[in-house]
Amino acid sequence: MVQPLKILFCAAEVSPLAKVGGLADVVGSLPKALAKLGHDVRITMPHYSLIDEKTHPTTTVGRTFTIATKKQPEQVTIQSTALNGNLPVYLINNKTYFARPAVYGEADDLERFIFFSNAAIALPQKIGWQPDVIHCHDWHTAVTVLNAHRLKTPSATVFTVHNLAYQGAFDDSFLASSGLQEDFESSKKLFPSLSLNMMALGILHSDMITTVSQNYAQEILTPEYGAGMESLLSFRKDQLQGIVNGIDYSEFDPATDPLIAANYDSSRIWRKAVNKLALQKRAGLPQDEHIPLIGMVTRLDEQKGFDILEKAMDSILKDTNAQLVVLGKGREIYHQLMQKVAGQYPDRVAVIIAFDNPLAHLIYAGADYFLMPSRFEPCGLGQMIAMRYGTIPIVRRTGGLDETVPDLSPDLKLGRGFVFESYDGDALVLAIKRAVAAFPRKEAWQQVLLRIMQTEFSWEASAKKYEAVYERAINHHKNEVKARAD
Ligand code: GLC
């Protein structure tokens, strides 16, 4: 085993304290797997007022201190709570920036997350605990990486890209007030077209960069998927590694899940049908276990394939008898579109525009298929959760979906899901028709369910890969320090 390390996770969202998307799930579960391997893992995040004090009681750690901002010095108090009972989470408390109900989407997000990043780098000294590695996630924490580099802290840094669609790109008019002018001026020598972009800082200054599947790590070196970051990523590609996410096996286990209608495992798989009937009832659809049921738990936007789903919808409704349940929130145009379809076909389509964790679990357990027609997908967690619940994915061949869902062979003896290649409505319809046609093949179907339920998607293997990344980051950092001293 690797020497026990001290690792500080920095992120804008951590499940279950504050969750917007998959980032929160990863930061809420990977630390637990690393702690199991013997490491001292702690987490820091902003103290948003939406964090429920009753379920997550906090205590104050150390003294209040101040962080300079462009406007005035701002006070920081560190409040500590715990994940899983014993994993410390340090909440960065400041009224000006975080006493609001929203995680993101505020007009001053740039300022808020620069402030958080500055507080995060001050944290180790304030609590008397110096990490070997600071593991930062997505653009909100990129300035923590930059600070570690600038201030020559003893900690190595790892920067994880969860989704290049969200880069923290801002207008250059904010440069002066961001305090990052010099850093951008010097980076522009190498990349003349670079503008104020937080993700770029994380990519350029971290000891190691990771992303959330091996496939996506390759894809983002190309203009198609690189979203303008491909040249920076290619420049640092020796330090870039893809590691597929895991899912939290304690939260997502059909045998023990308290949020579903009937618990089951591969030896009592027939009980899955109880969940299907409960889901149909909850969604207001006709209750019939012989009708194929497709579930989606998703953000409603282009990344997740709603533009091609829109094109495919007519044919799905006419040419198959499948029911569709969609849960999630996203862009208003897709809320309206899906609600309109549900209004026209109330026996076929149910749309619930909400974040609803219990219903999400019931969809994972009760649906026959889990649909993810993503345009791009860095990793994707839904397809892995679905498989653990014996729900067969229908996915587009991209990123982490491609890595975790090999296509089913015609006899259904190999593979895990129904996969389509080209990003268009026709290809999606064909995959859904193929999936629905396989539904009556009871025996072969059962074998697929058993196979996907038994596939390993826990964090164990990936946590070991992160250990190796941390070792590499520490060595890279040592060499840099040495090179600077020479
Ligand atoms: C982002 C990506 C998703 C990934 C998640 C966690 O939400 O879009 O693919 O699974 O981050 O890494």
Side-chain angles (χ1 to χ4, degrees):
M1 128 145 195
V2 189
Q3 279 248 324
L5 297 172
K6 294 201 218 74
I7 308 158
L8 177 64
F9 272 61
C10 296
E13 35 172 316
V14 182
S15 176
L17 288 98
K19 169 169 163 168
V20 179
L23 165 63
D25 291 310
V26 171
V27 183
S29 53
L30 170 58
K32 293 194 235 169
L34 288 162
K36 249 196 206 156
L37 293 172
H39 303 292
D40 180 357
V41 194
R42 308 186 188 189
I43 303 173
T44 186
M45 69 180 290
H47 195 177
Y48 311 107
S49 49
L50 59 78
I51 295 175
D52 184 358
E53 291 277 337
K54 280 196 210 94
T55 36
H56 309 287
T58 64
T59 51
T60 305
V61 189
R63 292 212 192 108
T64 297
F65 58 99
T66 55
I67 298 270
T69 73
K70 280 286 147 185
K71 290 179 195 143
Q72 72 222 15
E74 284 283 341
Q75 293 208 321
V76 176
T77 314
I78 301 165
Q79 306 279 124
S80 154
T81 181
L83 199 70
N84 224 20
N86 59 4
L87 215 137
V89 181
Y90 301 111
L91 303 168
I92 302 296
N93 186 294
N94 167 274
K95 294 239 163 5
T96 312
Y97 293 117
F98 303 126
R100 315 181 193 181
V103 174
Y104 311 118
E106 303 284 291
D108 56 350
D109 275 1
L110 175 63
E111 230 180 294
R112 293 170 74 220
F113 290 111
I114 290 178
F115 178 79
F116 168 62
S117 295
N118 286 335
I121 207 75
L123 177 83
Q125 196 240 326
K126 302 293 173 194
I127 61 172
W129 181 82
Q130 189 65 48
D132 301 299
V133 179
I134 306 181
H135 187 166
C136 295
H137 297 261
D138 274 354
W139 75 262
H140 325 97
T141 59
V143 171
T144 311
V145 170
L146 176 70
N147 277 333
H149 179 79
R150 275 206 287 222
L151 305 172
K152 305 187 175 72
T153 62
S155 311
T157 54
V158 174
F159 184 67
T160 296
V161 173
H162 290 263
N163 193 339
L164 273 185
Y166 303 98
Q167 297 181 0
F170 295 89
D171 193 275
D172 274 350
S173 58
F174 290 105
L175 249 185
S177 63
S178 70
L180 301 169
Q181 209 152 10
E182 264 175 44
D183 304 285
F184 274 95
E185 288 313 321
S186 66
S187 301
K188 272 188 177 181
K189 286 181 199 137
L190 273 173
F191 302 97
S193 61
L194 194 67
S195 58
L196 182 54
N197 184 307
M198 297 293 107
M199 191 71 107
L201 294 175
I203 292 169
L204 286 173
H205 298 292
S206 51
D207 289 299
M208 282 291 291
I209 307 150
T210 71
T211 188
V212 289
S213 67
Q214 284 182 43
N215 253 342
Y216 192 60
Q218 293 298 319
E219 287 173 347
I220 58 181
L221 299 176
T222 67
E224 189 188 350
Y225 287 99
M229 291 286 108
E230 58 276 9
S231 48
L232 271 72
L233 286 159
S234 301
F235 175 71
R236 297 222 60 209
K237 87 173 179 310
D238 292 345
Q239 309 303 129
L240 169 67
Q241 195 173 320
I243 301 176
V244 72
N245 288 329
I247 54 170
D248 189 337
Y249 267 35
S250 60
E251 184 183 354
F252 299 109
D253 182 356
T256 55
D257 190 336
L259 300 174
I260 63 176
N263 291 115
Y264 59 98
D265 54 26
S266 38
S267 68
R268 291 172 301 161
I269 212 163
W270 49 271
R271 284 170 60 97
K272 183 169 164 55
V274 180
N275 293 293
K276 178 168 178 179
L277 294 173
L279 173 58
Q280 286 168 323
K281 185 165 181 209
R282 168 76 173 74
L285 295 170
Q287 283 180 281
D288 181 344
E289 62 171 289
H290 302 295
I291 301 176
L293 174 55
I294 303 172
M296 292 180 85
V297 178
T298 182
R299 200 168 60 239
L300 280 76
D301 67 16
E302 282 83 13
Q303 180 198 336
K304 301 296 183 180
F306 276 85
D307 48 349
I308 61 168
L309 184 60
E310 175 179 9
K311 297 199 180 98
M313 211 60 224
D314 266 352
S315 172
I316 297 170
L317 288 164
K318 274 198 214 105
D319 304 340
T320 79
N321 65 335
Q323 297 174 333
L324 176 67
V325 179
V326 181
L327 170 67
K329 270 185 165 179
R331 291 193 55 195
E332 193 53 40
I333 56 160
Y334 294 119
H335 295 177
Q336 284 175 12
L337 174 89
M338 293 312 293
Q339 278 171 326
K340 192 170 144 212
V341 180
Q344 286 166 337
Y345 298 89
D347 284 354
R348 300 285 303 280
V349 180
V351 174
I352 301 100
I353 304 294
F355 291 117
D356 183 337
N357 193 40
L359 180 55
H361 280 244
L362 190 59
I363 294 175
Y364 289 123
D368 299 302
Y369 312 91
F370 193 79
L371 177 60
M372 289 181 80
S374 306
R375 177 188 288 273
F376 62 95
E377 196 61 75
C379 177
L381 303 172
Q383 81 280 14
M384 292 191 272
I385 300 169
M387 286 189 273
R388 184 137 211 251
Y389 284 76
T391 301
I392 302 182
I394 304 172
V395 301
R396 178 160 177 262
R397 192 191 302 282
T398 184
L401 298 175
D402 187 14
E403 197 162 313
T404 54
V405 188
D407 198 10
L408 278 161
S409 57
D411 62 5
L412 305 182
K413 287 199 172 132
L414 296 170
R416 298 183 196 140
F418 299 96
V419 182
F420 66 100
E421 179 102 37
S422 75
Y423 189 72
D424 59 55
D426 293 343
L428 169 57
V429 169
L430 279 180
I432 290 183
K433 282 190 188 163
R434 190 155 68 92
V436 170
F439 188 63
R441 294 164 59 188
K442 288 286 169 244
E443 244 168 66
W445 187 267
Q446 288 291 314
Q447 293 307 313
V448 179
L449 299 203
L450 291 178
R451 187 160 68 241
I452 60 179
M453 286 180 80
Q454 281 155 10
T455 307
E456 182 65 32
F457 292 115
S458 75
W459 269 109
E460 222 170 294
S462 294
K464 293 209 174 102
K465 293 191 180 146
Y466 274 105
E467 278 185 332
V469 165
Y470 296 148
E471 289 294 313
R472 277 188 67 190
I474 290 167
N475 283 333
H476 184 266
H477 184 67
K478 274 191 196 140
N479 290 338
E480 273 226 320
V481 172
K482 205 165 152 266
R484 281 191 202 171
D486 288 346

